[in-house]
């Protein structure tokens, strides 16, 4: 029993470490992206001074196309959540996944960086892993929402999933594509704040809900 518990705790520690390392790398990537974004804007200003209309139009179209590719950054009011969502959004763009997000990141300011990485990073990792198995690109859909609800903070992650997801006695999926030890880490992070995690599959959609008592970070 003790050995099993030790193994489970070690696996949960690995999840936290992996998500935090991803976050740190994402933060550095975004810094580089922002610098490149600024350089592109300066180039556009120079191109606008070009007197040859044909050259100007062609160069502008190319530069503005580059800028659109860099505009995946999310602004939610929480810098950690912004970093995670930006990195995941870019990954989704590169892999033909449609990720939509409506989030008030200020509601998560009472969580630590590690807790946000564990909850949001793990949920999105599982969702992207699942939708990448879909052959039809039109079905590679992920929806994320973070909002206040009756004194609680709701984090909702939904992804298209054609195959039914069977839940085990612990309420977590038996399918590896949606969890295992990873979701145990999400549950542990939620329970630290008196929260809950619920999972549900219906009508070809898998939903992960994390409900936390709403509070302000001191």
């Amino acid at each position: 029993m003790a050995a099993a518990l030790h193994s489970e705790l070690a696996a949960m520690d690995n999840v936290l470490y992996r998500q935090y390392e991803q976050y740190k790398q994402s933060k550095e990537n975004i810094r580089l992206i922002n610098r490149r974004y600024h350089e592109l804007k300066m180039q556009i200003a120079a191109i606008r001074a070009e007197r040859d209309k044909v050259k100007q139009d062609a160069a502008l179209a190319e530069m503005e196309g580059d800028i659109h590719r860099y505009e995946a950054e999310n602004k939610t009011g929480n810098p950690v959540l912004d970093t995670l969502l930006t990195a995941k959004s870019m990954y989704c763009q590169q892999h033909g996944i449609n990720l939509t997000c409506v989030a008030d990141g200020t509601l998560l300011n009472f969580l630590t960086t590690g807790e946000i990485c564990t909850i949001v990073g793990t949920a999105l990792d599982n969702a992207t892993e699942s939708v990448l198995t879909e052959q039809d690109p039109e079905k590679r859909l992920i929806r994320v929402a973070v909002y206040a609800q009756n004194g609680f903070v709701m984090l909702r992650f939904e992804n298209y999933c054609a195959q039914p997801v069977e839940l085990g006695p612990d309420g977590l999926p038996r399918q590896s594509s949606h969890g295992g030890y990873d979701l145990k880490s999400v549950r542990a992070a939620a329970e630290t704040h008196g929260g809950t995690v619920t999972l549900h599959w219906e009508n070809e959609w898998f939903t992960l809900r994390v409900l936390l008592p709403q509070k302000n970070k001191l």
Side-chain angles (χ1 to χ4, degrees), residues 40-138:
L40 286 169
K41 289 200 295 184
M42 294 301 99
Q43 289 177 35
I44 286 178
I47 291 170
R48 290 192 187 280
E50 170 65 56
R51 294 185 178 181
D52 187 315
K53 188 68 167 58
V54 175
K55 290 182 179 179
Q56 182 189 61
D57 289 345
L60 274 174
E62 181 180 353
M63 288 294 101
E64 289 175 341
D66 286 341
I67 283 182
H68 288 317
R69 284 192 288 274
Y70 286 114
E71 286 183 328
E73 187 169 0
N74 291 269
K75 295 293 186 183
T76 68
N78 182 291
V80 178
L81 184 61
D82 290 348
T83 299
L84 285 173
L85 289 175
T86 298
K88 300 301 183 185
S89 294
M90 293 176 65
Y91 177 88
C92 288
Q93 286 184 3
Q94 294 167 355
H95 292 82
I97 299 171
N98 183 1
L99 169 65
T100 58
C101 177
V102 178
D104 180 356
T106 62
L107 296 170
L108 305 183
N109 286 345
F110 67 92
L111 297 177
T112 67
T113 297
E115 288 167 341
I116 296 175
C117 288
T118 296
I119 295 172
V120 178
T122 300
L124 288 176
D125 279 353
N126 287 329
T128 53
E129 181 181 342
S130 175
V131 297
L132 280 175
T133 65
E134 296 297 334
Q135 297 300 312
D136 184 355
E138 296 296 321

Side-chain angles (χ1 to χ4, degrees), residues 35 95 136 154 159:
R35 186 175 70 184
H95 292 82
D136 184 355
M154 172 68 80
N159 67 269

Side-chain angles (χ1 to χ4, degrees), residues 166-183:
E166 182 183 356
L167 301 180
D170 60 356
L172 299 180
R174 295 183 186 276
Q175 285 183 239
S176 60
S177 62
H178 274 107
Y181 283 120
D182 285 6
L183 289 181

